[in-house]
Amino acid sequence: LLAPNPLEGDRFSVPASTLGSRMELISNSGKLAYTAKITSNVVEWPELPPGVYQVRITDDASTSVRTARLVKQ
């Protein structure tokens, strides 16, 4: 679902099928670290500290939710 993983920079790719969906990035401690609407298959995020994050992608039209684990080095 996400590439590259582990992530070393500030960008990662998501499938084109997720365009228009909402993305939430949740820290290992359960805190919401970032949220955005996916407008491109390349997502850039602000500088976040290294760690393990849960990425939740919600498609509002179909109410489907995809989750993946992302490691930031």
Side-chain angles (χ1 to χ4, degrees), residues 11-69:
R11 296 183 213 194
F12 59 94
S13 298
V14 294
S17 62
T18 63
L19 292 175
S21 298
R22 185 182 54 213
M23 180 184 68
E24 297 173 318
L25 190 63
I26 302 160
S27 71
N28 211 20
S29 64
K31 203 174 177 183
L32 182 62
Y34 181 69
T35 185
K37 184 172 184 175
I38 299 173
T39 58
S40 169
N41 68 329
V42 175
V43 176
E44 289 189 54
W45 65 13
E47 283 292 323
L48 290 174
V52 179
Y53 297 89
Q54 178 183 11
V55 179
R56 188 173 12 200
I57 298 174
T58 305
D59 181 352
D60 292 330
S62 67
T63 65
S64 70
V65 177
R66 298 186 206 186
T67 59
R69 191 181 88 161

